[in-house]
Amino acid sequence: LTIYDATKQGAESLKIVNGSDAIKPSGRAIQSLVAADNGRLFASWYMTADQLLSVTPGEKADGATFKLVDSPIGQGEGMAVNGDTLVVGLYPGGKVTSRSTTNDDAYKTEPKAVDGQDRPYAITHTTDNVFAIGTVPRDGKLGGALALYDANAHKVQKTIAFDSLSYAAGVPQDRLAQQSPISMAYRNGKLYIGTTSNVAVDKKTNKPQEAQLVEFDVASSTVTRVVNPFEGEGQNAITALTFGDDGMLYGITGAQVFKVDTASFAITKNKVLKDAQEVNRSWLVQRGGQLFGVVQGALYAIQTSDLTSQSIAGGGVSALTLGKDGYLYYARGADIYRNDYAKAGR
């Protein structure tokens, strides 16, 4: 590092700083975190990078080891695993790539793009090695897309813009054109999709559009059911979805947690936080009849029986995942933490 003093001339104007005295970069915040089937964790960072973080947990938290593995350039958004395959959505440009979770040198160097989209927020495995990708368009644009990506062929099989969706008979067709899919869960041929309105306004109320829960039949590429779980409650994004051991679908927003019987589409809901503030990202996992969700920077344990909750960690929690060892892993800024609440079955 060379520093120039503009008040001096010649050699006296220069100061060379080397080694430990040079400027040190600040830590880069973890953006997304996922647990692979072999026990390793993979993480991406906020802002663009050409590598991913790979963590091998130890018996104790301080026994974890890590390495950096190469990846196409981009900011890792959604991440999902199936067997040996890790799929990563990259911003900008709505790109998708995949890699091996066991062979660090095996990864796709040229990502595939979801046309017209920018942020691949949601990724979930469906069948075989095909993954559903939910994307958000560029800032100021309305209407996301759903894509199906074949990781074996490294090919986007199909892209369906939300303003061009097909609907089953009797399903409302006026709710999704300006929405974007940002959370997903898959079960028995159906994708369950949580949406955000981004910046769209409801023409009837002149307020931001509220979030929708969508059932999408993958084989026919058809919306079979759609419902607003929070009519008039100002919930503009369903930010995470997961299935419980009881077969129920669970979801979370900036303030609410809810349960869905997918047979009847009956919804039970409860507030986690009193203030229904908007968020664009949260996380939800389940283990042993309990949900664990991050809402506005705090980690909550939520009972599936009655959706009551308690905070078990605060202070800027993000990027939650459930490790194969039963521990909860999450980030605070550039640091990754391990929590034994789920493993201990409290």
Side-chain angles (χ1 to χ4, degrees), residues 207-264:
K207 295 179 180 179
Q209 291 182 11
E210 293 180 324
Q212 306 291 319
L213 177 65
V214 182
E215 182 185 72
F216 181 85
D217 182 79
V218 176
S220 64
S221 296
T222 302
V223 174
T224 48
R225 288 185 287 187
V226 58
V227 65
N228 177 357
F230 309 101
E231 195 76 47
E233 297 183 48
Q235 297 297 280
N236 306 128
I238 296 173
T239 46
L241 291 168
T242 192
F243 274 98
D245 291 333
D246 56 4
M248 294 290 188
L249 176 67
Y250 293 88
I252 205 162
T253 72
Q256 297 257 18
V257 61
F258 63 98
K259 174 167 56 176
V260 183
D261 181 339
T262 57
S264 65

Side-chain angles (χ1 to χ4, degrees), residues 162 176 179-182 193-197 210-212 214 236-238:
F162 259 43
L176 301 178
Q179 301 260 330
S180 296
I182 61 167
I193 302 169
T195 73
T196 181
S197 60
E210 293 180 324
Q212 306 291 319
V214 182
N236 306 128
I238 296 173

Side-chain angles (χ1 to χ4, degrees), residues 128-249:
D128 298 324
N129 218 19
V130 176
F131 292 75
I133 316 290
T135 61
V136 174
R138 291 184 294 275
D139 289 347
K141 302 293 184 180
L142 297 177
L146 172 65
L148 294 174
Y149 168 74
D150 184 338
N152 288 342
H154 187 43
K155 178 182 179 181
V156 176
Q157 292 180 332
K158 180 183 297 185
T159 299
I160 306 170
F162 259 43
D163 62 4
S164 302
L165 288 165
S166 297
Y167 296 83
V171 177
Q173 301 184 24
D174 58 351
R175 301 183 183 184
L176 301 178
Q178 295 182 330
Q179 301 260 330
S180 296
I182 61 167
S183 58
M184 291 189 296
Y186 178 83
R187 180 67 59 91
N188 298 330
K190 306 285 190 181
L191 266 177
Y192 296 90
I193 302 169
T195 73
T196 181
S197 60
N198 202 9
V199 295
V201 173
D202 189 316
K203 294 180 180 179
K204 295 180 181 179
T205 64
N206 203 33
K207 295 179 180 179
Q209 291 182 11
E210 293 180 324
Q212 306 291 319
L213 177 65
V214 182
E215 182 185 72
F216 181 85
D217 182 79
V218 176
S220 64
S221 296
T222 302
V223 174
T224 48
R225 288 185 287 187
V226 58
V227 65
N228 177 357
F230 309 101
E231 195 76 47
E233 297 183 48
Q235 297 297 280
N236 306 128
I238 296 173
T239 46
L241 291 168
T242 192
F243 274 98
D245 291 333
D246 56 4
M248 294 290 188
L249 176 67

Side-chain angles (χ1 to χ4, degrees), residues 272-294:
V272 178
L273 297 181
K274 293 181 180 179
D275 297 324
Q277 299 176 23
E278 174 66 1
V279 295
N280 67 359
R281 195 181 295 269
S282 58
W283 296 264
L284 190 65
V285 300
Q286 74 86 35
R287 176 182 166 90
Q290 277 191 308
L291 300 172
F292 300 92
V294 176

Side-chain angles (χ1 to χ4, degrees), residues 40-41 53-58 60-68:
R40 294 171 73 179
L41 306 174
L53 175 66
S54 170
V55 180
T56 301
K60 296 183 177 180
D62 59 5
T65 59
F66 72 91
K67 64 176 69 173
L68 300 177

